Amino acid sequence: MKKLLIAAASASVLFASAAQAEKWDMPMAYSATNFHSEHGVIFADKVREYTGGKIDITIHPGGSLFGGGDIKRAVQTGQAPIGERIMSAHANEDPIYNWDNLPFLATTYEAGAKLWEAAKGPVNKHLNDSNLVALYTCPWPGQGFYFKKEVNSAADVAGTKLRSYNAATAQVIESLGGTPVQIEAAELTQALATGVADGFISSGSTGYDRKVWEHLSHYYKVSAWQPRNYVMVNKGVWDALDADTQAGLQKAADETSASCAAKSEELSAWYYDQLEENGMSVVDASPEFMAELQAIGATMQAEWLESTGEDGKAIMDAYKGM
Ligand code: PCA
């Protein structure tokens, strides 16, 4: 009888803990070995720890569960409770999300962190209105240009097909006289191999992940902005959590955010070295090309302020006042 009681008691404990654990699938868009995805794994481990096992997240990197372009909708509609996406890819729906893709507004990690501090409030308001809650953001290294040839000015870019990853990169490419082709990082190697694109805008990180030295020869650092990926939760799912679980998730998110940003900064020069070691020329852009890009950046900043009204102005004023 005693044995039976013990068995029954332990079965009910088991049942109780299994019933408490919520299993969350988390789609991510970039390679499993990329530091963003590796931090997704770190985040999931921390969440298990800080929620006492209540939330059990499984990471699905490389667009394997939902392609990059589908992740926001999947989380908004509750098909996935949580997911990661480059935030500025939402700018085709709402220009506010372009806050971190304005060329030459914030070009260092320090400036990028300040800009997010300034942008956080208004951006979170827009996300909440879309049924999303941002848990953490993490910057990519500075953005530069990949080509198959030497490029010294916009005249050399004219007529080339360049891969874009959001509305802002498409605008930069068009302003340079090139033709933008929107392609997910996961499909980039294929696009370069088949001639769908002859180059692209990105950090050293994505060039390294996609081994683009097999198809391209030149990288111009420029480093004009540092777009951020972010991890979002469906707002209904978030609101249904008790306060302790929310606090555990947020603590995991805050720690992951800090370590992911530090890793991004630490790796930025290493990526350049890897591109060089694999035969690419990695250099600063010519003064002429830089001046052309700066003019494009100034136009994009002015247009963004116009299209985002009060919220954009609040972000810009807060940033400039820091
Ligand atoms: N890599 C991502 C976005 C920014 C970056 O550095 C990409 O190219 O898709």
Side-chain angles (χ1 to χ4, degrees):
M1 183 65 196
K2 198 170 167 203
K3 261 191 190 161
L4 255 181
L5 275 177
I6 291 170
S10 53
S12 71
V13 166
L14 262 181
F15 182 73
S17 57
Q20 273 173 355
E22 268 187 49
K23 296 220 176 275
W24 286 6
D25 285 312
M26 175 160 147
M28 301 184 82
Y30 299 92
S31 325
T33 53
N34 182 271
F35 68 93
H36 285 288
S37 307
E38 287 175 351
H39 274 81
V41 175
I42 291 170
F43 171 66
D45 286 342
K46 285 181 185 291
V47 167
R48 270 186 291 276
E49 186 184 339
Y50 298 151
T51 64
K54 272 193 186 166
I55 308 288
D56 185 9
I57 297 176
T58 304
I59 302 299
H60 300 272
S64 56
L65 189 60
F66 290 97
D70 298 322
I71 292 176
K72 176 177 179 249
R73 181 148 304 280
V75 179
Q76 263 179 319
T77 57
Q79 287 174 277
I82 191 167
E84 178 228 39
R85 179 66 172 148
I86 182 165
M87 194 187 279
S88 50
H90 308 342
N92 53 355
E93 296 168 25
D94 176 347
I96 198 79
Y97 297 118
N98 233 350
W99 64 275
D100 59 355
N101 278 249
L102 302 170
F104 302 104
L105 180 62
T107 60
T108 63
Y109 282 90
E110 202 188 336
K114 281 187 186 158
L115 184 55
W116 171 234
E117 240 353 90
K120 228 182 210 171
V123 166
N124 282 334
K125 195 179 72 188
H126 284 244
L127 288 171
N128 291 349
D129 289 346
S130 304
N131 202 34
L132 296 169
V133 174
L135 279 183
Y136 74 85
T137 66
C138 177
W140 287 96
Q143 303 295 295
F145 290 77
Y146 289 87
F147 294 112
K148 273 185 169 165
K149 57 175 188 183
E150 190 179 320
V151 165
N152 291 309
S153 69
D156 297 329
V157 179
T160 49
K161 289 172 290 179
L162 299 178
R163 171 265 181 174
S164 59
Y165 58 77
N166 61 13
T169 44
Q171 183 172 355
V172 171
I173 293 163
E174 267 169 1
S175 306
L176 289 168
T179 307
V181 204
Q182 172 90 20
I183 295 163
E184 283 302 309
E187 268 90 55
L188 179 57
T189 316
Q190 175 83 352
L192 296 172
T194 55
V196 169
D198 296 322
F200 63 106
I201 300 178
S202 194
S203 61
S205 178
T206 296
Y208 170 76
D209 286 345
R210 311 297 354 158
K211 296 189 171 50
V212 300
W213 48 80
E214 289 171 6
H215 307 287
L216 305 174
S217 51
H218 289 70
Y219 185 66
Y220 295 95
K221 294 190 244 183
V222 183
S223 206
W225 69 96
Q226 296 179 319
R228 288 184 175 232
N229 283 5
Y230 79 115
V231 169
M232 68 195 96
V233 184
N234 174 283
K235 192 168 181 301
V237 170
W238 176 258
D239 289 343
L241 298 172
D242 61 64
D244 283 352
T245 306
Q246 285 183 349
L249 273 157
Q250 196 56 61
K251 178 168 147 79
D254 292 346
E255 289 179 10
T256 307
S257 174
S259 105
C260 188
K263 193 63 172 180
S264 175
E265 185 163 12
E266 179 195 322
L267 286 173
S268 51
W270 183 85
Y271 286 131
Y272 293 154
D273 292 346
Q274 298 309 305
L275 297 178
E276 267 182 336
E277 273 181 26
N278 284 286
M280 293 190 75
S281 145
V282 178
V283 294
D284 290 329
S286 73
E288 189 185 350
F289 194 28
M290 280 304 261
E292 289 168 333
L293 290 169
Q294 269 152 357
I296 293 169
T299 304
M300 287 174 67
Q301 288 186 33
E303 287 178 0
W304 181 77
L305 274 174
E306 215 168 279
S307 63
T308 52
E310 259 175 43
D311 286 342
K313 187 177 180 310
I315 292 174
M316 199 64 96
D317 288 350
Y319 174 63
K320 297 254 154 102
M322 282 174 167

